[in-house]
Amino acid sequence: VRVDSKEPPNVARHYDIGCGLQQHVYLIRRGGGLDKLKKVDSEEIVVPSQESELISAIRSRFEAKLVHITTEKELEEFKKSFKVVALGVLKPSWGASVQSMPEYEALVKAATITRGLVAVGYSDAPLAGYSGNALKLFKSGREEDQDLSLVPDGAALARMIGAEAFPTMSVYDYGLRETFDRIAMPIIQVFGQERDFLKMAEQVARKFRGRLGMVRMAPHHYYMLEDFGKEKGEVPAVGITDSFHWNSMKYSHPGDMTFESVQKTVEQYLAGTLAPTFKSERPPHPDDYQRGKIKKVVKNTLHSVIGEGASEDTLIMVFRPWMHSLRKSQDIFKKVAEAFTQVDNVTVASLDVSSNFFDKEIWRGMREMEEDPCVYLCPKGGGSCHKYYGDISQKEIFQFAAKHSHHIKSQWEDKVKPQLKEMKRRDQVLKEEAGKDSARRAVEYAESVLEFNRKIEFADEVEIAAGVSKRVAVRGDEDREPPMDNERVVVHYTGTLAKSGKKFDSSRDKGKPFKFTMGIGQVIPCWEKGVKSMTAGERARLTCHYEQAYGEAGMPPTIPEKSELHFDIELISHGPINMHDEM
């Protein structure tokens, strides 16, 4: 069964799938289901880059979690069954069973967590001269010189065993982060390219192998320095994170980049005495804020509007940039802020919790997979913030704010009502002016269309692919490469029916460029092929046969069946996808 988690958001929440690029596979056994609190038992598989790795991971789910080895032949076959193999040698006390041993239970849990990554087995027979309780490790069939400790803690044992599947220092990629999170391995992230710095990091990695993983970040991942409260260019740098989850606790190394200094920081982290650092945008300059506007709040200035340091009641919208109703909610909040221009002891603010640490204790009731912005009223001088429940509308927000702030309620008649009356009068004037401006822009648009049509009339028509042709009106930057698959593309376009010239869609009318990802089927085939032939700054007309557009059925009622289409497309920009684009 294939599920697109963007379609039913409740499925995404249930499976805890966020904005990541990686696909996931869940094996749900007959009569069972996925328990979010026990994801490993529900057989979650992060889809690897190689098909063979996925097949191997799925196959491993149909084998025993913990393999029982009873003969020398089975032992030899088991050692070669996986790249990394761990064998627990168990010796129960007199009269007790192996299954009653805490070490056995720990092996079962470790085998469950590391399944598909490391093969784990046990033997209670006197094989190969092994004796006593021990954990043997084999890599590519060869026994390692040093045994691992067979601890009775299954989670700790999984980290020790799982760490052996990775090099001393791994290079970051998305599949790696998912695997580290599955074995609950804290991670030391290193940012820097200098040879001496990386040698020091390797030394630290060897020192703490099995307790923390070491991951080297490439320069294009340096934006993650923001998670540790640092600027993108502050390298070399070292940070520790509980997991790669977007809101996990982060700890920045504050000292020198020496082995002794980093070792001390890691030891403080393991002891639970290292103070966390929090992701925060750069604080805006105080002069950037004026009453009647929305005050931008960041993590490092949150204390000024929340808690004991708050000098005013604060009506605050907490959001992430990709939320469904963000634009509408922001427009409403702008009007609310303007309505409160003259109100004393009240601030209207906003906080982007994708760029700042999300504190679940403060923003109670806001889910990690929240689809819409949340609004809170936080009282002056401290106390819990009141959460607004319901659709965000101007009327409802006014009622909510007045209910929870006596400052707003007491100043409503004298200061809010007159301001709302003035805003209404001004909006009416602007509406009349906008009508005149709209007529002017319509004339300008008609003239620009005529100019575009004159240019393409004399331009050569080039066949890009079967059913796709192009006429260039304005040439782009020919020194730049065309868009490639998996790049984010930004265009302006106007679509018309080739037969009648009737316009059916236009980003220009909407006043906002259209964005899509190249090569993943987000747009019609004609666009995929045509835009790939363009360079930044180019404006052209694409002619699309119906087979390269919306097929025989068309897209009623705007596009009739078997319609050939024209698209006036301007390629504004293209480049790598960033995290916020994906989300």
Side-chain angles (χ1 to χ4, degrees):
V1 179
R2 180 185 181 275
V3 177
D4 182 347
S5 62
K6 292 181 181 177
E7 293 301 321
N10 60 312
V11 173
R13 285 194 293 271
H14 179 74
Y15 284 79
D16 198 22
I17 302 301
C19 57
L21 307 180
Q22 201 77 358
Q23 294 177 316
H24 294 66
V25 168
Y26 295 89
L27 297 183
I28 303 174
R29 302 186 185 278
R30 184 170 59 185
L34 185 138
D35 182 346
K36 183 179 174 183
L37 298 178
K38 299 179 179 179
K39 291 177 68 177
V40 172
D41 293 338
S42 302
E43 310 296 348
E44 175 189 13
I45 303 173
V46 179
V47 178
S49 58
Q50 299 296 323
E51 180 181 335
S52 60
E53 295 177 6
L54 177 59
I55 292 172
S56 176
I58 293 176
R59 183 182 293 122
S60 72
R61 266 53 177 190
F62 294 94
E63 299 169 352
K65 296 179 182 178
L66 184 63
V67 182
H68 188 191
I69 306 298
T70 59
T71 66
E72 296 283 356
K73 182 180 179 181
E74 288 177 351
L75 177 60
E76 289 303 313
E77 291 176 350
F78 179 63
K79 289 192 296 186
K80 300 173 184 176
S81 65
F82 226 74
K83 186 177 179 181
V84 180
V85 171
L87 177 70
V89 181
L90 301 177
K91 185 178 181 180
S93 59
W94 180 259
S97 66
V98 169
Q99 288 75 15
S100 67
M101 297 176 65
E103 290 84 358
Y104 173 83
E105 291 297 327
L107 278 170
V108 171
K109 183 171 183 179
T112 303
I113 294 172
T114 61
R115 187 190 290 209
L117 185 66
V118 176
V120 183
Y122 79 97
S123 176
D124 53 353
L127 302 177
Y130 300 147
S131 62
N133 293 330
L135 186 61
K136 304 291 181 181
L137 192 69
F138 304 88
K139 293 185 178 179
S140 301
R142 298 180 61 182
E143 184 176 349
E144 294 290 289
D145 293 334
Q146 190 171 357
D147 294 347
L148 297 179
S149 299
L150 185 53
V151 297
D153 182 339
L157 195 60
R159 289 192 290 272
M160 291 166 52
I161 294 173
E164 297 299 329
F166 301 100
T168 306
M169 182 186 297
S170 303
V171 177
Y172 175 84
D173 66 39
Y174 200 87
L176 176 79
R177 63 180 278 168
E178 291 277 357
T179 305
F180 269 126
D181 284 355
R182 178 156 65 90
I183 63 175
M185 177 76 79
I187 305 103
I188 304 172
Q189 292 176 253
V190 295
F191 303 82
Q193 304 294 312
E194 296 176 1
R195 180 178 299 179
D196 290 345
F197 170 70
L198 294 177
K199 285 177 65 177
M200 178 276 295
E202 285 266 7
Q203 190 179 359
V204 173
R206 286 192 293 271
K207 170 75 176 178
F208 295 99
R209 187 171 178 81
R211 288 185 286 173
L212 295 95
M214 176 76 76
V215 177
R216 175 182 174 183
M217 312 304 293
H220 59 278
H221 291 126
Y222 284 2
Y223 67 86
M224 292 188 188
L225 280 165
E226 297 173 358
D227 294 340
F228 298 96
K230 293 182 175 290
E231 297 290 334
K232 187 176 179 180
E234 289 187 64
V235 292
V238 173
I240 306 173
T241 179
D242 291 344
S243 78
F244 277 116
H245 186 275
W246 67 273
N247 205 48
S248 66
M249 298 303 293
K250 305 292 192 295
Y251 304 82
S252 179
H253 168 59
D256 298 330
M257 295 301 158
T258 63
F259 172 77
E260 292 76 17
S261 181
V262 175
Q263 175 184 243
K264 182 179 178 181
T265 295
V266 176
E267 288 172 343
Q268 288 175 336
Y269 168 80
L270 291 172
T273 59
L274 185 64
T277 49
F278 297 101
K279 182 178 183 179
S280 178
E281 292 180 277
R282 187 189 297 273
H285 193 278
D287 293 344
D288 292 342
Y289 170 69
Q290 60 186 47
R291 301 206 63 90
K293 303 293 183 182
I294 298 174
K295 183 175 185 177
K296 180 180 179 179
V297 176
V298 302
K299 175 64 178 77
N300 289 342
T301 62
L302 191 59
H303 64 278
S304 65
V305 295
I306 302 293
E308 295 180 0
S311 58
E312 298 184 324
D313 288 351
T314 301
L315 182 68
I316 184 167
M317 181 170 68
V318 184
F319 70 94
R320 299 185 182 97
W322 49 88
M323 286 177 161
H324 295 172
S325 61
L326 178 60
R327 182 181 293 274
K328 176 185 173 183
S329 300
Q330 287 176 326
D331 289 342
I332 291 171
F333 238 58
K334 287 177 183 177
K335 292 180 180 180
V336 172
E338 187 176 357
F340 292 165
T341 300
Q342 305 300 326
V343 178
D344 298 323
N345 297 306
V346 173
T347 298
V348 179
S350 68
L351 173 68
D352 177 358
V353 288
S354 72
S355 299
N356 298 275
F357 178 72
F358 173 62
D359 193 328
K360 291 183 286 189
E361 292 301 312
I362 295 177
W363 312 120
R364 293 181 179 179
M366 184 173 183
R367 301 167 300 187
E368 291 187 2
M369 293 291 291
E370 193 71 57
E371 298 167 34
D372 297 296
C374 292
V375 175
Y376 295 83
L377 194 291
C378 302
K380 173 183 177 180
S384 297
C385 297
H386 303 280
K387 184 178 186 296
Y388 169 75
Y389 292 92
D391 294 334
I392 295 178
S393 69
Q394 187 170 315
K395 179 181 178 181
E396 297 294 333
I397 292 298
F398 280 146
Q399 291 177 348
F400 167 77
K403 177 180 178 181
H404 295 288
S405 171
H406 73 273
H407 296 295
I408 295 173
K409 187 175 182 179
S410 64
Q411 299 176 73
W412 185 266
E413 293 294 331
D414 294 338
K415 295 185 177 180
V416 179
K417 269 193 172 181
Q419 181 69 14
L420 285 171
K421 186 176 180 180
E422 172 58 25
M423 289 167 59
K424 185 177 181 179
R425 185 200 64 78
R426 183 206 59 202
D427 289 345
Q428 182 60 37
V429 172
L430 291 176
K431 184 177 180 180
E432 293 172 359
E433 292 177 352
K436 298 175 183 177
D437 187 55
S438 178
R440 177 183 56 78
R441 284 190 287 108
V443 172
E444 291 176 349
Y445 174 73
E447 291 175 349
S448 71
V449 170
L450 287 173
E451 177 65 19
F452 176 77
N453 289 336
R454 277 196 293 269
K455 288 181 178 180
I456 62 172
E457 183 180 354
F458 296 102
D460 294 331
E461 185 154 13
V462 179
E463 185 178 39
I464 304 301
V468 181
S469 62
K470 181 179 78 168
R471 290 175 181 254
V472 177
V474 179
R475 296 196 175 278
D477 185 349
E478 296 181 354
D479 292 332
R480 294 186 59 184
E481 295 292 324
M484 297 186 295
D485 285 348
N486 298 311
E487 283 193 327
R488 176 68 79 203
V489 176
V490 182
V491 299
H492 258 315
Y493 72 90
T494 300
T496 56
L497 303 178
K499 188 174 182 179
S500 65
K502 181 180 178 181
K503 180 170 63 175
F504 59 83
D505 193 14
S506 175
S507 65
R508 297 179 176 95
D509 290 352
K510 298 169 186 174
K512 181 181 178 182
F514 176 66
K515 300 178 183 180
F516 67 95
T517 301
M518 181 67 74
I520 63 171
Q522 284 187 347
V523 293
I524 59 176
C526 179
W527 274 44
E528 292 274 12
K529 297 167 184 177
V531 175
K532 273 187 179 179
S533 72
M534 301 174 71
T535 57
E538 182 176 328
R539 185 173 177 179
R541 188 186 75 181
L542 295 181
T543 300
C544 307
H545 187 269
Y546 71 84
E547 291 181 347
Q548 298 293 330
Y550 293 97
E552 292 190 6
M555 196 172 65
T558 53
I559 301 176
E561 61 183 21
K562 294 186 177 181
S563 290
E564 184 175 272
L565 306 177
H566 286 160
F567 286 97
D568 167 4
I569 296 186
E570 178 187 359
L571 177 56
I572 298 172
S573 64
H574 61 91
I577 299 171
N578 63 43
M579 183 177 69
H580 285 181
D581 283 332
E582 272 304 306
M583 293 176 172

